[in-house]
């Protein structure tokens, strides 16, 4: 066995779980920040699993992380919903994303923010 070959499938499993967890988190965060998932919308696990093609465990871990970041609110015995963020909070989250994805000439802080326009 060479040093470049994986030693076992079990050794690769934690890395794969980490990738799935991160994919679920980024997918849901993007859906919230782009408006695909609306403020106050109930987040049905079954629908999210089906719609985004992610497993239950990575989904739950992503929802917990999104709750810690303030994008999702968890209600006991009711599940999760998208947080009712104010305009400034969303813009503070969107600016670094916009800066990373598009040239500065294509965006401004709030002048053309879809979230601000929705009120």
């Amino acid at each position: 066995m060479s040093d470049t070959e994986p030693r076992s499938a079990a050794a690769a499993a934690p890395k794969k779980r980490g990738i799935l967890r991160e994919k679920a988190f980024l997918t849901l965060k993007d859906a919230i920040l782009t408006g695909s998932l609306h403020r106050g919308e109930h987040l049905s696990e079954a629908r999210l699993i089906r719609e985004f093609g992610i497993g239950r465990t990575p989904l739950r871990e992503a929802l917990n992380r999104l709750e810690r970041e303030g994008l999702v609110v968890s209600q006991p015995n009711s599940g999760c919903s998208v947080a009712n963020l104010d305009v400034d909070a969303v813009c503070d989250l969107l600016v670094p994303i916009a800066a990373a994805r598009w040239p500065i000439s294509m965006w401004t802080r709030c002048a053309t923010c879809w979230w601000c326009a929705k009120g």
Side-chain angles (χ1 to χ4, degrees):
M1 175 185 273
S2 75
D3 290 338
T4 59
E5 292 178 28
R7 294 184 186 194
S8 70
K15 185 175 181 179
K16 184 177 179 183
R17 280 194 301 272
I19 292 169
L20 294 174
R21 185 181 318 127
E22 188 67 13
K23 176 188 174 214
F25 169 75
L26 293 173
T27 299
L28 291 175
K29 183 174 184 176
D30 190 58
I32 292 169
L33 294 177
T34 60
S36 297
L37 296 173
H38 304 287
R39 290 186 269 181
E41 181 178 345
H42 177 71
L43 301 174
S44 160
E45 280 189 6
R47 180 178 63 91
L48 294 173
I49 289 168
R50 188 175 56 253
E51 189 173 320
F52 295 111
I54 52 183
R56 176 170 287 172
T57 299
L59 172 66
R60 288 181 176 178
E61 291 171 350
L63 290 172
N64 287 333
R65 188 169 163 194
L66 289 165
E67 183 177 20
R68 287 191 305 273
E69 290 196 7
L71 292 172
V72 168
V73 178
S74 177
Q75 297 97 10
N77 302 319
S78 184
C80 294
S81 60
V82 177
N84 284 312
L85 298 169
D86 65 19
V87 170
D88 289 332
V90 172
C91 286
D92 288 344
L93 292 167
L94 287 174
V95 168
I97 293 169
R101 290 187 182 176
W102 303 289
I104 198 161
S105 61
M106 294 179 65
W107 62 275
T108 60
R109 187 171 192 278
C110 282
T112 58
C113 175
W114 68 268
W115 193 279
C116 298
K118 291 173 89 171

